Every structure is written in structure tokens, then in C-alpha cells.
Amino acid sequence: AASPSNRSRTARTSASLSTTGRRRLVRARTTPSSSRSRSSKGVLLCKGVEVGVVGPTPAGPRAPVSKDNVSERTLLSVASLLGRVVGYAPEHEGDVVQNIVPVKQLATEQSSTSSSVTLAFHTEAAFHPHKPRYLLLLCLRGDPQAATTYALLNDVLSLLPDQARQDLSREEFTTGVDSSYNPRPGARSKLHSVLSSGNVPVWCWDEELTQGTTLRAREALLDLAAAVAACSRAVVLEEG
């Protein structure tokens, strides 16, 4: 059971979100995917939440830190409005809250610990059979030179040729396992589609790791990458 101090902090964290923000989070949790509006943005930016005492940046994601645990409680409090928080055992030893920091030796890698390259667009854990429904980022120390990029699926679909949409809906793609999961060499997902064929489209794609197994699939991926690049947006995160 949560202690009184933990419940109090959770209440303060929830209260620090705008009424609109809380309503959107709860609505996202309780609305079935089949009933979601095609105009849904899929991204919610919250500002001014508690992060506590941050302390020096650690040398790596698993390195000891001197910070308090306010930011972890904040992140978990918000996440609890969306559903059950999960981690993946092979990644960061299953931590449900991960410290994402730049690692000098990985500066040019396609990894969350890089710092001098732009990360390729991707669905989180696109290779995994149980992908997360939501991904939460909490900025503890902002950098005006570091933008978080994203693209809205509805924008992308508006630019995709009909043939590409049809081809992306076929199960003719596989996705490599991200290096952060310490996979065996060459590990890839089972065949899957990039676009779901349901009432409200959902995508599963990693620009770096998803490959087509047919010529039409590979051509459709080129169309998708071009559409995403044309629709990309960016936000520079700040503390809290």
C-alpha cells in the first residue's frame, strides 16, 4: 500500500497537470482503440510537473545516481492514469523507469544513449509481440539543441499513395531486434504488416530496422519514409 507521503505526492503530481491534460489521459485509457477518432493527435505535452533534485548526469543508464526519486514518482503517477506500467526484461534489466543519458562511446549509434545523430523514426519496440501502448518521456535537464521528433499517422496517411497503403497492410515485413535488448545476431520479428487494417489505423515500423520481404513491400517502405519526413514535427523538451 502507498504511504501517506506517496499518496500526497501522487495527488500533487496529478494536480499539477491541467484539467484538460488529466481528462485526455483518462480518455485515452478508457476509449477502445476501435472507437478512437481519426483526428486523435496521439501526442500530449505536459509542462511544469515535479522533477525534484536532479544532480549530476550519470555516466550511463545503469550508473548510480545521486538524485532523489521525485521524478520517478512523477512519471509513474502520470503513467498510472493510462494503465499498467511495464518494462522489458532484456532492456535495462527490466527497469520500468529508465535513465536516458548520453554515453560518449555511443554518440553516433542509433540508440537512446546517442548524442550526435538524429534517431530514426520508429514505433517503440516495433519488433516485439507485446508493444507498449504509450511511451512517456520526462525531461530532467533540457538541451535547446536536442529536439524530440515525431510524426502523426493521420498526416502521414494523407500523403501515402493508395497502393503504398495497401502494400503496407500486407504481412510482408520483418523488424530487427533493437540492440538495447542484447539480441542474438540477426534476430528479427515474425512477418507483420506496417499498417493495421482496422477501423482506426495503427502502425508498426522502425525506419532503421524494418525491412520488406518483397519488392512491393520495399517500395512501400520508401514511400512511407518520404511521407514521414515530410510530416515530421519537433518539440524541444524542458525541465518538467
Side-chain angles (χ1 to χ4, degrees), residues 61-62 88-95 98-100 112-113 180:
R62 299 289 301 167
Y88 294 85
E91 184 180 47
H92 296 268
E93 299 185 16
D95 288 345
Q98 302 175 4
N99 289 321
I100 304 301
S112 59
T113 51
S180 65

Side-chain angles (χ1 to χ4, degrees), residues 144-190:
Q145 302 299 316
T148 297
T149 55
Y150 65 96
L152 303 179
L153 179 53
N154 291 329
D155 292 346
V156 174
L157 292 177
S158 69
L159 296 183
L160 274 179
D162 289 342
Q163 186 59 54
R165 292 182 63 166
Q166 293 179 25
D167 293 339
L168 291 168
S169 298
R170 305 176 193 273
E171 292 189 348
E172 297 180 355
F173 305 87
T174 64
T175 299
V177 180
D178 191 276
S179 60
S180 65
Y181 284 68
N182 299 312
R184 67 181 187 280
R188 303 193 66 78
S189 70
K190 295 180 179 180

Side-chain angles (χ1 to χ4, degrees), residues 20-21 54 80 87:
T20 300
V54 176
S80 67

Side-chain angles (χ1 to χ4, degrees), residues 219-233:
E219 291 177 342
L221 286 178
L222 294 176
D223 287 334
L224 177 60
V228 169
C231 295
S232 66
R233 307 186 187 195

